[in-house]
Amino acid sequence: MVIRVYNSLSRVKEVFEPLHEGWVGIYVCGPTVYDWTHLGHARTYVAFDAIVRWLEYRGYKVFYIQNITDVGHLAETGEDKVVGRAVRERIEPMALVEFYMREYFRDMDALGVRRPDVSPRATGHIIDMIEAIKKLIEKGYAYEVDGNVFFDTSKLQDYGKLSRVKPEEMIAGARIDVHPGKRDPRDFALWKKAGRDYPLKWASPWGYGFPGWHIECTVMAMRYLGEQIDIHGGAIDLIFPHHENEIAQAEALTGRKPFVKYWMHTGLLTVNGEKMAKSLGNYVRVRDVLQEFSPEAVRLFILSAHYRSQLDYRREKMEEAEASVKRLIGIIERIEDASAEKSYEGSSSMEERSLLEELRRLSIEFDKAMDDDFNTAEALSHLYAMSRVVNRMLDLPRINRSILEESRDIFSTKLRVLGLPDKPPRRRASDKLLEELLKIIVDIRSEARRRKDYATADEIRRRLALIGIRLEDLPDKTIWRLE
């Protein structure tokens, strides 16, 4: 078993070898909690959830950190995103943070994204950040100007190695509010001075202020994962300047390289071929999508593309994902029914053994796809092929019990490792009346068929289908399923 990971730093696939055998430390930049969770967030966090699940499936112990940014993330205008929204809403900034943080977790829970082992908040690590900034000043990598502290990028010869952005491009892309005290436009803020009435500020050796966005993630990553970490991830638009600056800070602080062994970035999400933006009116919130489609369908849609590729959200793609999820879950339900109704002990047939071998082969191909830079898109193609094999097996009049059980284990394991439902929906005790009524209807239809009254039998099937109940005629009985 060899896992290969595309490293954004080297820009090639590398054999995955964590710093500590059998143990993987992962840090993924979490949300800035000042607004609703959108599909772009979901794209990144569902992708990394699948990556964590696969590493665990391959036997690694994973320690997963995903921060919460609740201060210091500035908009292009120079305004703190949390503070700006709180001022406009006329509420306490931390009340705003608490609300949107809880809603973020609620949305991620709905999508089957497991909670990180630690979700550190920036405001909970201010002391750590101040100590790190003091150390950078002492080592000559940072300087203070009128209560602001900046990182001196000229002190690092390899600054820009992750993004490979040229120095002149960095200057051209600098924020419009370049501080006059900066030695170089490329230098970035470690600590920002705050006025007397500013709602989020802390005392520091340089006066009242708040930390810069970049130092937050460096400090929190090192606080929980050490001076060097295995995987650092986030969306592709974080490569510059955020992740570039994280590297600069960490390697200046510790003198150890690399700060991160494998950098991983998810591709952008577009909507009908356009960049998602509120100004374009195509800003898609997770909760809005979940009003129309199941969480499983949203998750499947996200995993249908490789995590590094661009993902385009379209309604027709969501409808396809919904249908695909129903088919996959339906197979698990069919397996359960077959186990109760037509499994047998004893010697298996050649056809059954042949189908099982094909399922095993596809299972191996699924694993190879996931080992190759967590290629969920290719893995899903093998899963769909597996579903067709299982359906052929379930169409047999009788199925060997041991073959059926192995098939169920293989198929459900693949679903589970992708975070998709691996069990059929439960029929509640309150559904007993529905089951009895449907039994009566099915019996009436069977009697009509016995009398060769096919018009009535077909009409019953059609009208049941309209309310989501599908009938399946077997050689000796008729069974029903909820669509």
Side-chain angles (χ1 to χ4, degrees):
M1 179 270 295
V2 176
I3 295 176
R4 296 184 183 276
V5 177
Y6 181 87
N7 190 343
S8 298
L9 182 62
S10 65
R11 300 193 180 181
V12 296
K13 288 182 186 177
E14 301 176 9
V15 173
F16 181 67
E17 296 176 340
L19 295 165
H20 306 283
E21 186 176 355
W23 191 91
V24 181
I26 300 180
Y27 184 94
V28 173
C29 288
T32 301
V33 283
Y34 72 104
D35 206 342
W36 298 101
T37 310
H38 58 68
L39 270 184
H41 296 126
R43 197 281 158 88
T44 293
Y45 302 131
V46 167
F48 275 100
D49 181 66
I51 289 168
V52 169
R53 288 171 184 265
W54 187 253
L55 290 171
E56 290 177 341
Y57 173 77
R58 282 309 199 191
Y60 290 104
K61 172 67 177 176
V62 180
F63 191 47
Y64 181 28
I65 312 298
Q66 184 194 108
N67 72 292
I68 295 291
T69 297
D70 52 1
V71 68
H73 189 175
L74 305 186
E76 290 298 325
T77 59
E79 176 187 72
D80 184 295
K81 294 185 176 184
V82 169
V83 173
R85 180 68 179 270
V87 169
R88 289 191 293 274
E89 298 288 339
R90 297 185 178 182
I91 63 173
E92 171 63 38
M94 286 299 101
L96 180 89
V97 164
E98 286 292 334
F99 175 80
Y100 284 115
M101 181 178 66
R102 292 168 185 171
E103 294 304 313
Y104 162 74
F105 281 122
R106 183 174 287 117
D107 288 340
M108 292 302 104
D109 289 346
L111 294 177
V113 175
R114 298 186 306 181
R115 301 263 179 126
D117 294 296
V118 183
S119 297
R121 290 171 60 168
T123 53
H125 297 77
I126 300 296
I127 293 175
D128 297 326
M129 295 172 202
I130 290 174
E131 291 301 312
I133 295 169
K134 286 166 60 178
K135 187 175 180 181
L136 287 170
I137 293 175
E138 291 167 4
K139 297 184 73 172
Y141 288 102
Y143 56 94
E144 184 261 342
V145 179
D146 188 29
N148 299 280
V149 181
F150 300 101
F151 187 94
D152 189 345
T153 57
S154 68
K155 295 297 179 68
L156 295 178
Q157 291 185 346
D158 59 356
Y159 180 68
K161 60 187 175 183
L162 176 65
S163 63
R164 303 187 187 181
V165 175
K166 296 178 182 179
E168 58 270 22
E169 293 172 342
M170 294 181 187
I171 295 173
R175 292 186 182 276
I176 59 174
D177 60 336
V178 175
H179 193 280
K182 279 188 179 183
R183 297 175 182 172
D184 188 308
R186 296 175 299 168
D187 295 350
F188 55 90
L190 300 171
W191 188 262
K192 297 281 287 184
K193 180 180 180 180
R196 177 180 299 177
D197 298 326
Y198 197 76
L200 286 181
K201 61 181 183 295
W202 290 263
S204 79
W206 319 286
Y208 281 98
F210 57 91
W213 179 34
H214 314 306
I215 192 66
E216 296 175 359
C217 282
T218 296
V219 166
M220 287 186 284
M222 294 173 61
R223 165 66 178 79
Y224 295 98
L225 297 173
E227 294 183 349
Q228 291 180 294
I229 65 179
D230 295 305
I231 295 174
H232 193 320
I236 194 170
D237 57 352
L238 295 182
I239 290 180
F240 184 83
H242 188 51
H243 288 164
E244 195 74 76
N245 293 347
E246 280 195 62
I247 294 174
Q249 295 162 153
E251 294 182 356
L253 278 167
T254 67
R256 303 182 68 180
K257 297 182 180 182
F259 167 46
V260 174
K261 193 168 184 182
Y262 306 97
W263 282 96
M264 300 178 66
H265 294 93
T266 55
L268 295 178
L269 181 132
T270 57
V271 178
N272 295 320
E274 293 186 306
K275 181 180 178 180
M276 185 173 65
K278 289 182 178 178
S279 59
L280 297 175
N282 64 355
Y283 186 81
V284 183
R285 303 187 307 177
V286 170
R287 60 191 47 236
D288 293 334
V289 179
L290 293 179
Q291 290 293 317
E292 295 188 75
F293 302 101
S294 70
E296 296 81 16
V298 177
R299 187 179 181 96
L300 184 70
F301 161 71
I302 291 171
L303 297 178
S304 66
H306 189 280
Y307 76 88
R308 286 191 285 115
S309 66
Q310 181 171 296
L311 177 63
D312 188 45
Y313 175 80
R314 295 176 185 269
R315 183 176 182 82
E316 55 267 30
K317 289 185 179 180
M318 284 303 310
E319 291 171 347
E320 292 172 5
E322 191 75 79
S324 296
V325 162
K326 288 181 178 179
R327 285 195 296 270
L328 292 173
I329 297 175
I331 289 173
I332 296 295
E333 191 172 7
R334 284 198 71 192
I335 291 174
E336 295 286 329
D337 291 342
S339 180
E341 297 169 2
K342 58 180 180 180
S343 62
Y344 70 93
E345 302 281 359
S347 300
S348 57
S349 68
M350 184 179 296
E351 185 176 12
E352 289 173 300
R353 293 193 296 271
S354 176
L355 289 169
L356 180 60
E357 283 304 314
E358 177 65 7
L359 192 62
R360 289 170 176 169
R361 184 190 68 78
L362 289 168
S363 175
I364 292 171
E365 293 302 314
F366 179 104
D367 292 354
K368 288 179 180 178
M370 290 299 291
D371 285 340
D372 184 16
D373 196 30
F374 313 100
N375 193 337
T376 55
E378 185 178 341
L380 279 170
S381 71
H382 296 306
L383 183 64
Y384 294 139
M386 291 167 65
S387 72
R388 293 190 288 271
V389 172
V390 174
N391 268 327
R392 284 162 54 198
M393 183 183 295
L394 295 172
D395 287 339
L396 297 173
R398 299 173 68 239
I399 310 174
N400 178 273
R401 181 164 297 162
S402 62
I403 288 180
L404 183 62
E405 289 177 354
E406 182 175 346
S407 300
R408 177 181 56 202
D409 290 343
I410 291 173
F411 196 73
S412 62
T413 296
K414 303 312 181 191
L415 289 172
R416 187 165 57 252
V417 81
L418 293 176
L420 298 171
D422 63 330
K423 293 181 176 62
R426 288 185 177 182
R427 292 176 181 172
R428 301 166 307 203
S430 58
D431 289 340
K432 185 172 179 60
L433 178 60
L434 172 62
E435 294 184 19
E436 292 297 324
L437 289 171
L438 282 171
K439 184 177 183 301
I440 294 171
I441 294 171
V442 168
D443 287 344
I444 292 171
R445 179 175 175 274
S446 297
E447 176 61 21
R449 294 180 71 209
R450 189 187 65 78
R451 291 187 282 102
K452 298 185 178 181
D453 182 4
Y454 298 119
T456 299
D458 290 343
E459 180 64 7
I460 291 173
R461 178 198 288 274
R462 185 189 71 81
R463 295 179 68 175
L464 287 176
L466 290 175
I467 61 172
I469 297 170
R470 181 168 62 87
L471 299 183
E472 182 176 348
D473 294 318
L474 301 177
D476 59 340
K477 64 161 70 170
T478 297
I479 60 175
W480 60 271
R481 302 182 193 283
L482 287 174
E483 288 288 353

